[in-house]
Amino acid sequence: MTGVGIVGLGYISGQYLQTLLPASRVRIVAVADLDPARAEAAAEQIPGCRALTTEELVADPAVEVVLNLTIPAAHAEVALAAIAHGKAVYGEKPLAATLADATRIMDAATAAGVRVGSAPDTVLGTGVQTARAAVDDGRIGRPVSASAMWISPGHEAWHPHPDFYYREGGGPLLDMGPYYVTSLVQLLGPVSAVSGAGSRSRDQRVIASGPRAGESIDVEVDTHLTGILHHASGAISTITMSFDGVRSTAAPIEVHGVEGSLLVPDPNMFDGDVQLHPRGDQWSTLEPSAGYADSGRGIGLLDFVAGPGRADGAMALHVLEIMTALAVSAASGAREKLRTSVERPSLVPLTSAETWTSL
Ligand SMILES: NC(=O)c1ccc[n+]([C@@H]2O[C@H](COP(=O)([O-])OP(=O)(O)OC[C@H]3O[C@@H](n4cnc5c(N)ncnc54)[C@H](O)[C@@H]3O)[C@@H](O)[C@H]2O)c1
């Protein structure tokens, strides 16, 4: 059993605990948060768990892996502190708020000989994995293109402290892009160049819920991003991520090949129907054939602990470079060539919840 220390006990931590507490592969031994009351409240719910400061947690001998669930702007600081103590680190997306910080994390981990894992792990669920199995099995023939679209009015409608979504490291691209871009890389392989365009509809947003309802927050990033991803395979993806729309009925992801088309379910979810339309036939729903069934946030950490880890730092770094290059291209108008690449991790065999919980 691997000892895990969680840093950051905010909104998303509850979903992680639902996955990790019943799993026999890990034990949560310590928790820390800038707000000690949050850490203490979490520690009380977890048998044998202590509330510590972040400095104490990363130095604690019982902590083997640091689970970094802080806001994007703090991802690098916490990851580097963990690595400095020789601890493996698995974090929420994006890997860091900037490509420079993400590169620092990966370089420090290589120098220290420790592993880095990163969300999104939704892509290890049956939705994206079943779609990938269909592509890998040639069911759409040679893949030619994909489209990915996520449109919303912005997270301030529901998140009680949405400031980080509008700061560097946030925006719709860095916030939601990891789900879509990681899926596109899982489906069509690494990306070699991108072109982007972006815009910002307004300079302030108003928090709609919670104790700060009515408060205005400043917008420091583009809130509508669109772009073209040139995959090394020759396939081309188009992507739109926006906090500046109201509703959309577009499929989250479509993949088109010379012999068929595929509808991929919401990559922010672990499952959902995958639909295939072979040439000359009609749409049908595929039975789940790959992925962790009935899984939730944290499955990537369980996969990471079992090693080598499919939601890994190399994938997260490539995905972050794709997203930051889209933003650079949006600002300059020029096409950006990428420096990083990644090998697609192995397909996840279809694994029941009973199996992944008890491994
Ligand atoms: N909210 C969601 O629906 C959602 C979904 C998937 C992933 N995520 C990702 O999860 C991460 C956290 O999001 P959230 O919504 O839980 O945010 P949140 O603001 O609700 O929680 C973050 C927590 O981290 C703590 N924290 C911040 N900086 C810290 C530091 N330097 N040291 C220790 N603790 C620190 C904060 O006090 C807070 O308790 C982000 O990377 C986000 O992209 C969020």
Side-chain angles (χ1 to χ4, degrees):
M1 215 182 230
T2 302
V4 173
I6 306 179
V7 183
L9 283 309
Y11 189 90
I12 208 61
S13 60
Q15 291 187 28
Y16 273 81
L17 292 177
Q18 274 180 25
T19 303
L20 300 180
L21 287 177
S24 44
R25 199 177 278 169
V26 295
R27 195 161 69 89
I28 297 159
V29 294
V31 288
D33 195 289
L34 274 184
D35 178 353
R38 286 194 190 174
E40 276 152 28
E44 276 171 22
Q45 291 173 32
I46 305 169
C49 177
R50 292 157 297 144
L52 304 174
T53 64
T54 302
E55 295 70 28
E56 290 167 343
L57 183 145
V58 295
D60 194 287
V63 173
E64 294 164 83
V65 180
V66 173
L67 174 56
N68 184 1
L69 304 183
T70 59
I71 56 171
H75 284 179
E77 171 196 328
V78 172
L80 289 169
I83 292 165
H85 284 273
K87 304 289 165 78
V89 58
Y90 179 98
E92 251 306 328
K93 50 79 188 165
L95 181 54
T98 64
L99 185 61
D101 274 351
T103 306
R104 260 192 287 282
I105 292 172
M106 295 307 290
D107 288 350
T110 303
V114 300
R115 294 194 303 135
V116 176
S118 175
D121 52 1
T122 49
V123 299
L124 306 183
T126 51
V128 170
Q129 291 291 310
T130 298
R132 179 178 151 180
V135 174
D136 290 0
D137 291 346
R139 298 184 73 177
I140 61 167
R142 181 169 56 80
V144 174
S145 68
S147 61
M149 173 133 7
W150 183 79
I151 303 277
S152 94
H155 292 324
E156 72 279 15
W158 60 273
H159 199 295
H161 25 96
D163 312 59
F164 72 84
Y165 292 118
Y166 295 97
R167 300 224 176 103
E168 190 174 16
L173 184 61
L174 286 197
D175 176 45
M176 296 305 287
Y179 301 109
Y180 291 80
V181 175
T182 311
S183 300
L184 292 172
V185 174
Q186 280 269 354
L187 293 161
L188 298 176
V191 170
S192 53
V194 303
S195 303
S199 62
R200 194 177 303 190
S201 65
R202 47 204 193 275
D203 293 329
Q204 293 211 309
R205 298 273 177 153
V206 180
I207 301 175
S209 66
R212 293 168 60 205
E215 192 183 315
S216 288
I217 51 176
D218 289 336
V219 175
E220 297 170 4
V221 291
D222 276 355
T223 46
H224 179 87
L225 259 301
T226 189
I228 300 165
L229 276 48
H230 299 267
H231 294 266
S233 66
I236 298 171
S237 295
T238 50
I239 180 169
T240 299
M241 299 285 124
S242 185
F243 287 158
D244 283 333
V246 176
R247 280 272 184 278
S248 170
T249 56
I253 298 178
E254 292 187 357
V255 189
H256 304 284
V258 292
E259 297 299 338
S261 292
L262 200 62
L263 290 184
V264 183
D266 183 349
N268 188 14
M269 311 294 272
F270 289 81
D271 49 21
D273 286 348
V274 177
Q275 295 185 59
L276 175 70
H277 193 311
R279 180 191 285 275
D281 201 340
Q282 55 187 340
W283 289 111
S284 67
T285 301
L286 301 182
E287 283 298 315
S289 63
Y292 291 110
D294 303 315
S295 53
R297 291 185 209 277
I299 192 73
L301 174 65
L302 298 178
D303 183 83
F304 177 78
V305 165
R310 295 175 176 91
D312 77 342
M315 172 67 85
L317 183 68
H318 184 55
V319 167
L320 186 63
E321 193 193 10
I322 293 169
M323 297 187 301
T324 51
L326 276 169
V328 169
S329 170
S332 71
R335 177 167 156 162
E336 287 285 312
K337 281 196 175 149
L338 302 191
R339 293 186 181 159
T340 66
S341 188
V342 72
E343 269 187 39
R344 294 188 311 155
S346 61
L347 192 75
V348 180
L350 187 60
T351 309
S352 71
E354 197 182 25
T355 303
W356 62 252
T357 315
S358 61
L359 279 176

